[in-house]
Amino acid sequence: MAIFLTKDSRVIVQGMTGSEGMKHTTRMLASGTTVVGGVNPRKAGTSVDFPGGVSVPVFGGVAEAMAATGADVTVIFVPAAFTKAAVVEAVDAKIPLCVVITEGVAVKDTAEFFTYAQNAGTTRIIGPNCPGLISPGKSNAGIIPANIAGPGKIGLVSKSGTLTYQMMYELRDYGFSTGVGIGGDFVHQPHRLRLRQRHDHGGLPIGGLGCGQRRDLAPCAVPHPCPGSFRDSRFWRDTFQHRDRPIFLWYGRKSRRQRLLALW
């Protein structure tokens, strides 16, 4: 069962008319995402043509775009200096999900817009400095390649964008319900991600050495030996038989083995 992002999600892109916004909006559309609008106050009233004969309108603000299209997800590709203002605008518009792709956002700005969103209580933030999230076969909000994995019954959440891609590719034979890259920045909005859904085989959170979330998640874990290879099908088949607990992967180059650190 997908979380946060489904086939019915309607996505707008703040910064769609920029180079990164254009490139990744094209990829999102190609993967089946329902992109219903872009946001750029200086180009409001225009539209942008994408491959496949798709024309996406540009609006002057998030609230205007939501009123016109029924959007419930926004993906932010604006430069770091303007990210705080873009997030605050999205929160003021009460959009349910805000995916902040931008990297290099000042910690002070991140802390302030997270606090603003928490006080508002209307908007969930993913990111910043994240690859976004994908529900394969349904929708893709961000920069995760849509061709690395298909739909399935594993839920994934990761601080690392690279490990998000690697794990989805290595376990592509099993497929994923939703993969979420929460971002590697210092500040995160607290999430209670429902990694184990009724129809999922398991949840797969990924983090790095020193990641504080390990302490919070460890009581939920089931001990397992590390696989010799990510492609060890017998290991994963046996592992996912433990459907009442998530599976946790922590990876770090500074461990003594210079490889997989621990799999709970």
Side-chain angles (χ1 to χ4, degrees), residues 4-244:
F4 306 155
L5 196 66
T6 71
K7 62 181 178 62
D8 298 319
S9 296
R10 299 176 66 81
V11 179
I12 58 174
V13 181
Q14 291 173 259
M16 184 183 74
T17 57
S19 59
E20 291 299 308
M22 288 282 289
K23 177 173 69 176
H24 291 292
T25 299
T26 301
R27 293 178 177 178
M28 285 189 282
L29 286 166
S31 66
T33 306
T34 304
V35 179
V36 295
V39 176
N40 184 334
R42 292 177 296 178
K43 298 185 178 181
T46 65
S47 61
V48 179
D49 295 328
F50 291 93
V54 179
S55 181
V56 180
V58 180
F59 298 94
V62 176
E64 178 188 352
M66 290 177 65
T69 66
D72 53 8
V73 179
T74 181
V75 184
I76 294 180
F77 284 104
V78 305
F82 308 110
T83 298
K84 176 184 171 182
V87 175
V88 168
E89 180 185 356
V91 173
D92 286 342
K94 299 182 180 180
I95 198 162
L97 181 64
C98 177
V99 183
V100 188
I101 305 299
T102 309
E103 63 180 343
V105 180
V107 173
K108 178 177 181 294
D109 286 353
T110 303
E112 288 177 352
F113 67 65
F114 273 148
T115 301
Y116 190 79
Q118 286 178 310
N119 291 337
T122 57
T123 303
R124 179 185 297 275
I125 298 176
I126 304 292
N129 186 24
C130 78
L133 65 161
I134 181 171
S135 296
K138 297 182 176 68
S139 190
N140 183 6
I143 64 175
I144 299 175
N147 60 350
I148 58 176
K153 297 184 178 180
I154 303 173
L156 179 147
V157 58
S158 174
K159 288 188 66 179
S160 166
T162 303
L163 290 180
T164 302
Y165 309 151
Q166 179 182 357
M167 186 54 63
M168 294 189 75
Y169 178 77
E170 297 292 355
L171 298 181
R172 61 192 181 277
D173 293 342
Y174 296 89
F176 290 81
S177 56
T178 301
V180 184
I182 64 173
D185 279 2
F186 181 75
V187 179
H188 293 283
Q189 184 181 42
H191 291 295
R192 293 188 179 274
L193 296 175
R194 296 168 291 164
L195 290 166
R196 253 290 298 129
Q197 294 291 342
R198 183 176 58 185
H199 301 296
D200 287 355
H201 280 308
L204 189 61
I206 302 176
L209 286 169
C211 177
Q213 287 92 337
R214 289 184 299 175
R215 296 189 301 272
D216 300 328
L217 296 174
C220 303
V222 173
H224 289 285
C226 294
S229 166
F230 284 123
R231 299 288 288 168
D232 185 342
S233 60
R234 184 176 61 179
F235 168 82
W236 292 110
R237 184 182 66 246
D238 294 343
T239 295
F240 289 131
Q241 289 178 354
H242 296 270
R243 299 188 182 187
D244 61 330

